[in-house]
Amino acid sequence: MSRTHDVHPYIPNSEPRVKRQMLDFLGMESSEDIYREIPEALRFRGTLDIPEPILSEYRLQRHVEALLKKNRNTKDNLCFLGGGTWKHHVPAVCDTIIGRDEFLTAYVGDAYSDHGKFQALFETSSMLGELTGFEACSTPTYDWGNAAAIACRMASRTLGRKEVLFARNSGPSRRSIVHNYCLPDIAVREIAYDPATGLLDLADLQRCLNADTAAVYFENPTYLGTIETQAEEICRLARSVGALVIVGADPTSLGVLEAPGLQGADYAVGDFQPLGLHMSYGGGLGGFICTRDSKAFVGEYPSLLFGICETSTEGEYGFGEVFYERTSYASREKGKDFIGTCAALHGIVAGVYLALMGPQGLVELGEGILQRVAYAKELLARIPGVKIAFDSISYSDFLVDFNGTGRTVADIDGALLDFGIFGGKDVSKDFPVGQSALFSITEVHEKEDIERLVAALTAICR
Amino acid sequence: MAEPRIRKNFHQASWDEPIVYEMSTPGVRGILPPDVDEAIVEQVGDVAGRLPRGTRRASPPVLPELSQKHVLQHWIHLSQETMGSNLSNDLSEGTCTMKYNPRINETLAQDPGFAELHPDQDPTTVQGILEIFHKFQKVCLEISGMDAVTLQPGGGNHAVYTAASIVRAYHAARGEADQRDEVITTIFSHPCDAATPATAGYKIITIYPDERGIPDLEAIRAAASKRTAAIFMTNPEDIGIYNPHAAEITKILHSVGALCFYDQANANAFLGVARAKEAGFDMCHFNVHKTFGTPHGCSGPATGALCCRGFLARYLPVPVVESDGNRYWLDYDRPENIGKIRDYLGCAGVVLRAYAWTAMMGPRWLRECADVSVINNNYMQKIMETIPGVSSAFQGNGIARQEQIRYSFEKLKNDVNVGSEDMNRRMLDYGIPWFWSSHHPWLVPEPMTLEPCESYSKDDIEEYCAVVRKVAEEAYGNPAFVKNAPYHSVIHKRIHEEEFDDPDRWALTWKAYQKKHGRI
């Protein structure tokens, strides 16, 4: 027979004598003396139909681990998926810091008892600014798509213009998020890409740029896996009509790719996930926005902004909220868009990662990824029927064209599972590329991993 | 009641920690990425060198250069200079529901069976995590009484924004998008109930409370019209008063064709006690990181569970996790969906932890959370109202408060010019984390909003009240001393705070600080 417990380890005052003592102090019989404020018709008088509790921590762990065992993970299988969440090495120090109860369980305290939180996020902003070529940076947004969408609205407000041009070779989720965010008052027009190179179609861009263009958004590297070598030209064209430029960037690529701010862009946005965060089934995201440091740009951020200041003790740093009046916390519907709980912890970890890597680490990481991808492309292109979609240099992600194999991507990916391989993402529904898949290779892919993929695909496509 | 013990000799960790750039030594390394196999290098050569000019980075990014030990040390110091709720008496952060965040759930979130999953894996390879999503969805539906839910929003405000997007889609589908351009909210509802519908394009009408602190029902009746798209309201509101007119309000709004959204950020008060369904709402949301015991992470990652009635399910963002009881899959085939709100399925780690938390609670202990929370809060109120200089919003209106209360130091401010922020800084010296004052506008003057949820013991509550009493006494005895606090926190009192609003002085990055403050 199972024991009946009348106290829960997470609820100290569930201990019946303590609870009785508190009710006696209040002159109350039970919590019903408080719930009397809720009209009877609104009361729920049943019992919640959810599973009975698993009170033992041991059994809870067994229960959840049994569910997780139903998953096939990327440690036991070889994963070539990227496109917004990437498998990079997560340094042990990052795991240590993310697990610290101090950071893990803090929330909205000011920069006295939570001084460390402010300093950590200020430092992340400082490093990210150096990486992207800007001097202002927000606290984390929900994710990259959210950052891109916010930047579009910021640009629209800064210029008082109502149209955004969105590169069609960008991520489909981000595209959807931007459309949703701009719906009330900003038109989103999509700019074609060149089907031969995968790069932005500059002629189409020129056709679409006009006096109401607030911003041009493009990604570098593009979602379809090419490096956008026309970045400076895109910025120049945008400037010719007075429009601003937003670049979506994979931050790990910025050891080898030029900083968007130095190419003429006005905003850089992207995701923290590749900077020391586990993929966690898409839970590792957190967006960033960097801009120029002037009131015209900073004044339009909806996010909290953490700045540095002095204290009454000489030489001591303090931190606080910059231009708080902007936010919806301060000004409700008159604030800039809205702000809420986003992904601060991931922003903190990204700072740890960047400090671990340092300038040289990031350069070596980037150079190594470029080489591994080039090697994989060469080998894959030798498989009969398989082509590499675009003739360009790729950073991490690249598009593989399976149209010549007579097989669908779904079919090929299904067959790869039997080899313990998670193949590329099927993009056939999102882009007019037929049966093509987006593969991703990072520093975690060794030569033998790439060769294992090639051998499996050779066998499957035979 | 024995005299509660307070931490008279407390001092928070104060490392006088430099900015990471000040710790940098050129050439020092923190971690080395894996080398590329020589055979690969031989075959492909220097790929970076083939990048065109202007595309390849001209000079390496200016990042700090530290050994691994010093990186670890620096961020451990910064963590110690942060007061997480797992290590403090954090009933301070009212409206935030600072529950204990169980360690076992962190262990589970590190399991490679979760942490090493890519979100684009074939659904057949992620049946376990999809099952967890589906089961947690059922918990949300049972607690709300609603029919469908999405866990995609990355926080509470994001869920409320999603609701505003659904309101827009619903009226557009009925051809009334242009006609219905107003959203009603109440001033003690969270600011997001005004800000997110505004972001979605709506004009906002704000209802103020009557003399008892309840949103003015007649004002709502007068505001509702054919122009109304929806009402967005919190209940209980941030001052802890349950709005007894909730059902009447939904009837008024429905009678003019508007939708009703129930902000349930404060759901801890009524788990298993009252539901959105019975009050007639069409949508509601939970802050999963608050009500379901997952960590707040210095402000995220988080999850907002947006629940709705069946007739609105068609608008939910894609994909939706579906199941036939054996198998789980992702449904993208929903042509009227509002688009994506966040990438993938949302913050899966929050969902996993919340699932584990509810699995350990079950129906009985979820209800116990609510019971103990409201008892704790009333117990605390009775002590707090005996402290000189302290009152509570709408004190003496005869309404029992639910899970939280907004207190006021108005009298203290009038008497000795010590207000909410001064109290906050001095209370830090006794190991109490920074308390939540209030969102703006400060309708309740010199506010302090406290929420002694079920994780806090009777001793915690008594200690907290004793610290408030002690500092209030200090304020009456020596106001200047309190106003110049803190003395035992991480840092001392900030000066020149006006620079945070000055574009020529504010500095969001180290580089900007060096430039603007003459360091280089």
Side-chain angles (χ1 to χ4, degrees):
Chain A
M1 203 183 110
S2 68
R3 191 191 297 266
T4 309
H5 294 278
D6 56 11
V7 62
H8 193 287
Y10 300 165
I11 314 178
N13 294 344
S14 62
E15 202 288 319
R17 282 161 302 186
V18 174
K19 193 159 58 168
R20 188 67 259 158
Q21 218 183 335
M22 295 175 78
L23 284 164
D24 287 347
F25 177 75
L26 290 168
M28 289 179 181
E29 197 51 45
S30 72
S31 57
E32 286 299 323
D33 290 327
I34 299 165
Y35 294 137
R36 66 164 199 256
E37 305 298 347
I38 305 175
E40 181 56 33
L42 272 55
R43 285 297 301 274
F44 173 69
R45 290 295 185 183
T47 301
L48 293 174
D49 182 18
I50 62 174
E52 286 302 312
I54 305 170
L55 283 164
S56 130
E57 184 173 291
Y58 170 72
R59 289 213 183 110
L60 177 76
Q61 184 167 2
R62 263 182 85 131
H63 167 75
V64 177
E65 284 176 355
L67 288 170
L68 296 180
K69 279 199 180 76
K70 296 183 185 180
N71 299 323
R72 288 176 67 179
N73 68 58
T74 61
K75 209 169 175 179
D76 301 334
N77 297 271
L78 194 48
C79 176
F80 292 98
L81 289 160
T85 289
W86 294 272
K87 189 169 173 69
H88 286 282
H89 173 65
V90 175
V93 174
C94 291
D95 276 340
T96 300
I97 299 302
I98 202 170
R100 298 281 304 187
D101 282 76
E102 296 92 334
F103 283 145
L104 186 68
T105 69
Y107 198 25
V108 294
D110 200 359
Y112 289 101
S113 53
D114 279 0
H115 174 87
K117 165 184 85 184
F118 277 74
Q119 182 167 339
L121 286 166
F122 173 83
E123 291 182 351
T124 298
S125 289
S126 300
M127 289 184 266
L128 212 54
E130 292 286 357
L131 210 52
T132 57
F134 292 105
E135 289 175 19
C137 183
S138 74
T139 54
T141 67
Y142 298 113
D143 64 1
W144 177 358
N146 180 239
I150 289 172
C152 290
R153 288 180 64 100
M154 288 171 67
S156 167
R157 286 194 295 266
T158 293
L159 295 186
R161 297 182 179 190
K162 294 292 181 189
E163 190 173 274
V164 166
L165 305 184
F166 188 91
R168 188 63 181 83
N169 54 4
S170 306
S173 292
R174 296 186 282 279
R175 176 173 166 234
S176 178
I177 293 167
V178 166
H179 273 279
N180 168 279
Y181 235 65
C182 289
L183 188 63
D185 58 348
I186 303 169
V188 181
R189 199 194 286 193
E190 293 180 353
I191 306 300
Y193 64 88
D194 181 335
T197 64
L199 302 178
L200 199 69
D201 179 341
L202 295 189
D204 194 40
L205 174 66
Q206 261 182 310
R207 265 194 302 278
C208 293
L209 281 166
N210 67 76
D212 202 31
T213 306
V216 177
Y217 174 82
F218 71 94
E219 297 181 353
N220 196 14
T222 71
Y223 178 80
L224 289 176
T226 52
I227 292 173
E228 183 50 88
T229 49
Q230 314 167 110
E232 288 175 338
E233 181 64 5
I234 295 169
C235 294
R236 196 186 61 74
L237 289 171
R239 266 200 307 279
S240 71
V241 298
L244 301 170
V245 174
I246 305 164
V247 176
D250 171 352
T252 67
S253 72
L254 294 174
V256 288
L257 299 186
E258 187 54 284
L262 300 182
Q263 292 179 314
D266 303 282
Y267 305 78
V269 299
D271 210 285
F272 288 119
Q273 185 275 329
L275 303 176
L277 290 148
H278 293 277
M279 299 188 292
S280 302
Y281 196 56
L285 304 184
F288 62 80
I289 307 175
C290 302
T291 58
R292 306 183 182 287
D293 180 15
S294 69
K295 196 175 178 188
F297 289 92
V298 174
E300 297 304 331
Y301 274 109
S303 329
L304 294 181
L305 300 171
F306 291 171
I308 189 166
C309 71
E310 296 164 37
T311 78
S312 57
T313 296
E314 172 132 23
E316 187 176 70
Y317 297 124
F319 296 91
E321 314 258 17
V322 167
F323 204 2
Y324 186 67
E325 238 0 79
R326 295 168 293 114
T327 67
S328 59
Y329 284 164
S331 304
R332 297 179 74 87
E333 71 272 18
K334 294 187 180 64
K336 309 293 179 183
D337 302 334
F338 68 92
I339 170 63
T341 303
C342 292
L345 189 63
H346 294 173
I348 290 173
V349 173
V352 178
Y353 182 88
L354 289 172
L356 279 171
M357 295 294 280
Q360 196 53 32
L362 219 55
V363 170
E364 288 171 13
L365 179 84
E367 288 178 349
I369 289 174
L370 288 171
Q371 288 174 313
R372 287 177 178 87
V373 173
Y375 180 71
K377 280 171 142 184
E378 277 193 34
L379 263 52
L380 287 166
R382 292 180 199 159
I383 302 171
V386 175
K387 282 199 310 189
I388 301 303
F390 307 114
D391 180 22
S392 67
I393 297 173
S394 297
Y395 179 84
S396 133
D397 294 4
F398 58 101
L399 195 64
V400 180
D401 177 346
F402 290 106
N403 289 296
T405 66
R407 309 276 299 266
T408 65
V409 172
D411 198 18
I412 291 166
D413 278 349
L416 280 171
L417 282 178
D418 295 337
F419 289 83
I421 295 174
F422 301 155
K425 181 176 165 62
D426 186 350
V427 296
S428 59
K429 289 202 181 87
D430 293 313
F431 297 92
V433 289
Q435 292 302 315
S436 299
L438 192 67
F439 280 71
S440 176
I441 284 176
T442 72
E443 82 283 6
V444 303
H445 295 98
E446 299 283 12
K447 179 167 170 282
E448 72 238 35
D449 299 331
I450 295 169
E451 288 166 359
R452 213 177 111 196
L453 170 69
V454 173
L457 278 173
T458 306
I460 291 165
C461 297
R462 184 173 293 147
Chain B
M1 194 186 300
E3 187 66 25
R5 185 182 182 281
I6 64 174
R7 295 163 206 264
K8 293 195 188 101
N9 298 311
F10 171 82
H11 202 305
Q12 193 174 353
S14 175
W15 286 101
D16 199 14
E17 191 67 14
I19 302 297
V20 68
Y21 277 98
E22 296 177 297
M23 301 166 68
S24 180
T25 304
V28 174
R29 302 289 298 267
I31 194 166
L32 305 176
D35 283 340
V36 184
D37 192 292
E38 274 179 28
I40 293 183
V41 178
E42 210 165 291
Q43 183 151 344
V44 301
D46 175 15
V47 182
R50 297 201 287 275
L51 287 169
R53 255 172 62 101
T55 296
R56 185 176 186 184
R57 188 155 191 136
S59 53
V62 182
L63 295 174
E65 296 172 78
L66 281 78
S67 76
Q68 194 168 108
K69 177 198 186 291
H70 294 94
V71 173
L72 178 70
Q73 172 185 306
H74 177 64
W75 267 276
I76 287 182
H77 287 173
L78 294 184
S79 76
Q80 291 176 339
E81 292 181 336
T82 305
M83 187 85 85
S85 61
N86 267 6
L87 48 134
S88 64
N89 190 357
D90 200 357
L91 56 87
S92 275
E93 300 187 71
T95 78
C96 303
T97 320
M98 304 305 290
K99 297 191 178 199
Y100 169 57
N101 306 134
R103 288 309 306 178
I104 184 64
N105 299 345
E106 299 310 309
T107 304
L108 295 169
Q110 287 156 14
D111 188 307
F114 171 71
E116 303 303 332
L117 298 181
H118 190 284
D120 284 324
Q121 280 178 230
D122 189 285
T124 61
T125 67
V126 288
Q127 288 292 296
I129 188 65
L130 292 181
E131 184 173 343
I132 286 170
F133 264 81
H134 199 259
K135 286 184 160 160
F136 184 66
Q137 288 177 182
K138 283 183 77 171
V139 171
C140 294
L141 295 180
E142 183 62 17
I143 293 173
S144 63
M146 295 281 125
D147 305 314
V149 56
T150 176
L151 302 172
Q152 194 178 108
N157 291 9
H158 210 198
V160 182
Y161 172 73
T162 306
S165 296
I166 289 176
V167 167
R168 198 169 60 193
Y170 169 80
H171 289 303
R174 296 160 62 88
E176 295 186 347
D178 293 337
Q179 171 200 326
R180 296 188 182 273
D181 60 352
E182 294 175 352
V183 162
I184 300 171
T185 187
T186 70
I187 193 68
F188 285 127
S189 290
H190 189 278
C192 73
D193 293 312
T196 65
T199 303
Y202 289 107
K203 291 175 198 153
I204 305 302
I205 297 174
T206 304
I207 303 297
Y208 282 73
D210 63 18
E211 68 287 351
R212 296 180 76 209
I214 296 168
D216 187 334
L217 186 63
E218 292 317 308
I220 292 173
R221 204 187 303 279
S225 76
K226 296 285 177 206
R227 291 187 61 182
T228 312
I231 189 166
F232 278 54
M233 59 176 271
T234 307
N235 194 21
E237 293 193 297
D238 284 358
I239 52 174
I241 294 178
Y242 189 90
N243 184 344
H245 306 310
E248 177 69 15
I249 291 169
T250 57
K251 278 194 197 114
I252 293 169
L253 272 295
H254 285 152
S255 74
V256 297
L259 294 174
C260 299
F261 170 76
Y262 215 18
D263 180 328
Q264 306 269 263
N266 301 337
N268 214 43
F270 48 80
L271 298 166
V273 174
R275 311 193 300 179
K277 177 186 181 178
E278 281 72 18
F281 285 84
D282 305 301
M283 287 188 276
C284 73
H285 94 288
F286 299 114
N287 282 352
V288 176
H289 50 289
K290 295 179 179 176
T291 310
F292 299 100
T294 76
H296 289 67
C298 285
S299 195
T303 291
L306 179 71
C307 311
C308 67
R309 289 188 192 265
F311 74 97
L312 294 174
R314 69 186 67 175
Y315 303 114
L316 289 175
V318 286
V320 173
V321 181
E322 297 283 8
S323 171
D324 59 7
N326 292 313
R327 184 173 78 80
Y328 300 86
W329 66 89
L330 300 176
D331 182 9
Y332 284 90
D333 187 19
R334 303 170 77 95
E336 292 178 80
N337 81 79
I338 57 165
K340 287 195 72 66
I341 292 294
R342 183 193 177 279
D343 215 340
Y344 310 115
L345 281 187
C347 294
V350 178
V351 175
L352 169 70
R353 289 172 177 90
Y355 172 75
W357 188 84
T358 46
M360 216 199 209
M361 302 310 275
R364 173 182 171 192
W365 298 105
L366 273 183
R367 172 62 200 259
E368 185 76 4
C369 279
D371 282 3
V372 170
S373 294
V374 298
I375 293 168
N376 278 359
N377 188 42
N378 279 267
Y379 183 81
M380 183 161 196
Q381 180 188 17
K382 191 165 173 182
I383 304 172
M384 286 288 288
E385 288 178 354
T386 68
I387 298 173
V390 179
S391 61
S392 62
F394 302 97
Q395 189 170 335
N397 65 356
I399 299 173
R401 302 303 194 266
Q402 301 299 312
E403 88 299 1
Q404 63 188 11
I405 292 186
R406 186 153 296 158
Y407 295 99
S408 170
F409 294 111
E410 184 179 20
K411 181 164 177 359
L412 196 65
K413 180 81 177 174
N414 290 339
D415 290 346
V416 289
N417 195 30
V418 170
S420 174
E421 201 196 315
D422 302 315
M423 289 294 289
N424 222 336
R425 273 184 280 101
R426 178 58 182 155
M427 284 167 62
L428 301 174
D429 289 336
Y430 295 96
I432 297 293
W434 187 265
F435 64 74
W436 177 238
S437 52
S438 158
H439 292 290
H440 293 267
W442 278 9
L443 243 54
V444 176
E446 303 303 323
M448 169 171 71
T449 311
L450 304 180
E451 184 182 4
C453 71
E454 80 279 2
S455 303
Y456 297 91
S457 68
K458 182 167 162 291
D459 286 349
D460 290 334
I461 295 168
E462 289 166 5
E463 180 201 18
Y464 202 104
C465 294
V467 170
V468 177
R469 187 184 302 278
K470 172 82 178 163
V471 176
E473 284 167 3
E474 287 177 352
Y476 279 113
N478 185 354
F481 178 72
V482 174
K483 289 186 85 68
N484 287 322
Y487 307 98
H488 297 157
S489 187
V490 180
I491 58 158
H492 300 85
K493 191 177 177 182
R494 288 188 297 238
I495 55 173
H496 307 312
E497 289 184 286
E498 68 284 356
E499 291 186 353
F500 287 138
D501 294 321
D502 177 357
D504 294 329
R505 298 293 288 167
W506 72 39
L508 300 168
T509 57
W510 182 240
K511 193 173 188 178
Y513 179 72
Q514 289 176 300
K515 272 190 187 170
K516 292 182 185 179
H517 293 254
R519 295 296 195 100
I520 48 173

